[in-house]
Amino acid sequence: MALLLLPMAVTAGQVIVTIDGESITSEDLDRAIASSPFSVQFPSMGENEQAALRGDMLRRLVASRLLYLEAKRRGLDGSAQFKAEQEHYRLGLLHRVY
């Protein structure tokens, strides 16, 4: 499995991490931060706190993508339980936005 990390000075929409051809972009990271409970506090955080939060969120996105790829590799991505978990996750994101 190939993992490629790019420098953190990124522009909007730029690919930050690539894992076996699956990319995580700066927009993905921004959406993750915006959907987190910290989104309200983020603008008032100091530069170091913002960087730490972005780094933590990026690590979580990478871990999530790795778990997805492993489930896909094992053929679990077609199971009813996997699809239900994806739907719960999607609904959770929608609830946070609204």
Side-chain angles (χ1 to χ4, degrees):
M1 183 170 290
L3 175 65
L4 173 64
L5 292 173
L6 298 176
M8 285 311 297
V10 295
T11 59
Q14 184 175 354
V15 173
I16 302 171
V17 179
T18 301
I19 308 163
D20 273 358
E22 297 275 334
S23 296
I24 297 174
T25 66
S26 59
E27 289 173 341
D28 294 331
L29 181 57
D30 291 340
R31 275 194 300 273
I33 291 170
S35 70
S36 78
F38 298 104
S39 64
V40 185
Q41 300 167 351
F42 192 78
S44 64
M45 291 178 170
E47 189 176 305
N48 289 340
E49 291 172 312
Q50 287 182 356
L53 179 60
R54 289 180 69 80
D56 184 53
M57 285 294 194
L58 182 57
R59 281 189 293 278
R60 290 172 188 237
L61 286 172
V62 168
S64 174
R65 194 63 52 96
L66 288 169
L67 286 171
Y68 170 76
L69 289 171
E70 180 62 15
K72 192 173 170 181
R73 184 185 72 79
R74 292 183 180 198
L76 301 173
D77 59 326
S79 72
Q81 182 180 0
F82 185 86
K83 290 179 180 181
E85 287 295 324
Q86 277 190 315
E87 183 62 14
H88 288 296
Y89 176 76
R90 187 186 71 77
L91 288 174
L93 291 176
L94 288 173
H95 288 292
R96 285 188 202 126
V97 169
Y98 295 106

